[in-house]
Amino acid sequence: MIRPVALFIPCYVDQLAPEVGMASVRVLERAGCEVSYESEQTCCGQPFLNMGEASAAANLAERHLRQFEGHETIVCPSGSCVATVRNRYGELGIGLDEADRVQRRNTFELGEFLVRELGTTSLGARFEHRVAVLPSCHGLRELGLGSPSELPGASEPAPIDILLDAVAGLVRVPSDRDECCGFGGMFAVKFPEVSARMGRARLREWADAGAEYVTSTDVSCLLHLDGLRRREGYGPQPIHLAEILAAGDDA
């Protein structure tokens, strides 16, 4: 059965990495979804929440909910934007009636939606490279997309790991570390030296392990790492999960 899905595109994908949005469409269609796009959508409010600008964030949050009103399923190639909608709108007093709560619950990160909602683990992708994984902080610690190292006990496997393990030719580079890459939204603006040092440490680890690419569910983290990689001259090339899953035999 074809499942209708509304695509929620983060600002930085729209402005800086539109290829991730296009890859997300190809992946969702390959998974049997009918994808629609609300052309008037804009920021979900996350940057303003991070800056403490509650009034501006609330206006954008309310607008976001109205833009996607009536859609049963909303999918986004960003864990941080999904975490904002699902977990943080309530802090603003937005999206608290039953219809909005349902809409917020039914807003999914792309990998989460494929594995946990559709039960899809293989999309016929081929990507013959060594790939490291950056579990984004929002995905790991706010959406439960994996097991953060600071919490004891087992949890569900990370959807991104399940999807990558099903990609033909891909070798996943293991890592015991799951700390922040140093982006952290406004953190990178307020503390650029610390942010860059954290990013360089991750790049060095992956480079030493022989990773050719590093992937994640968040373009913002990948853009941060790409800037450091270009400046420092070492580290794997960042690529979003959707781009790997959309890859074919020529990858």
Side-chain angles (χ1 to χ4, degrees):
M1 185 177 71
I2 294 176
R3 182 156 174 176
V5 167
L7 188 63
F8 163 24
I9 291 294
C11 307
Y12 40 82
V13 170
D14 182 44
Q15 298 294 316
L16 301 172
E19 64 275 10
V20 172
M22 299 306 295
S24 299
V25 173
R26 292 198 296 276
V27 168
L28 288 167
E29 289 180 342
R30 194 181 290 179
C33 297
E34 183 177 72
V35 182
S36 62
Y37 181 76
E38 294 291 342
S39 61
E40 298 300 316
Q41 64 179 280
T42 184
C43 178
C44 65
Q46 181 188 173
F48 298 92
L49 260 171
N50 292 343
M51 290 188 294
E53 299 287 348
S55 177
N59 289 338
L60 288 167
E62 185 63 38
R63 189 179 190 282
H64 175 91
L65 292 174
R66 301 290 74 80
Q67 281 291 310
F68 286 94
E69 210 164 33
H71 291 287
E72 290 187 5
T73 303
I74 301 157
V75 177
C76 176
S78 165
S80 63
C81 293
V82 171
T84 297
V85 172
R86 199 188 293 173
N87 299 336
R88 302 197 62 194
Y89 278 6
E91 299 171 18
L92 299 167
I94 300 295
L96 300 179
D97 67 30
E98 185 54 27
D100 286 346
R101 288 180 189 273
V102 170
Q103 182 191 130
R104 290 166 56 200
R105 282 199 301 271
N106 290 339
T107 300
F108 300 100
E109 182 277 320
L110 176 66
E112 172 190 35
F113 174 72
L114 292 170
V115 174
R116 294 184 179 172
E117 286 296 306
L118 294 185
T120 298
T121 57
S122 177
L123 290 148
R126 173 175 291 276
F127 195 74
E128 297 183 353
H129 298 282
R130 291 175 56 82
V131 180
V133 178
L134 171 69
S136 78
C137 298
H138 285 89
L140 189 61
R141 297 179 169 86
E142 289 203 35
L143 299 179
L145 305 181
S147 305
S149 56
E150 68 273 18
L151 296 179
S155 63
E156 290 187 69
I160 188 171
D161 291 344
I162 294 172
L163 291 164
L164 291 176
D165 287 346
V167 174
L170 187 148
V171 176
R172 188 155 56 88
V173 177
S175 174
D176 295 328
R177 300 171 61 180
D178 62 7
E179 69 266 30
C180 178
C181 67
F183 177 62
M186 291 306 297
F187 178 81
V189 177
K190 291 182 176 178
F191 306 102
E193 294 84 3
V194 178
S195 168
R197 185 169 181 175
M198 293 169 70
R200 287 196 297 269
R202 302 309 311 270
L203 289 176
R204 174 52 64 196
E205 173 206 358
W206 293 318
D208 289 348
E212 300 171 78
Y213 288 86
V214 56
T215 192
S216 178
T217 57
D218 278 76
V219 168
S220 53
C221 302
L222 295 173
L223 290 172
H224 169 67
L225 292 170
D226 194 40
L228 289 169
R229 180 184 71 93
R230 291 170 185 268
R231 190 166 65 199
E232 302 295 335
Y234 64 82
Q237 181 176 337
I239 184 171
H240 191 273
L241 171 65
E243 297 175 280
I244 294 178
L245 298 181
D249 291 337
D250 56 343

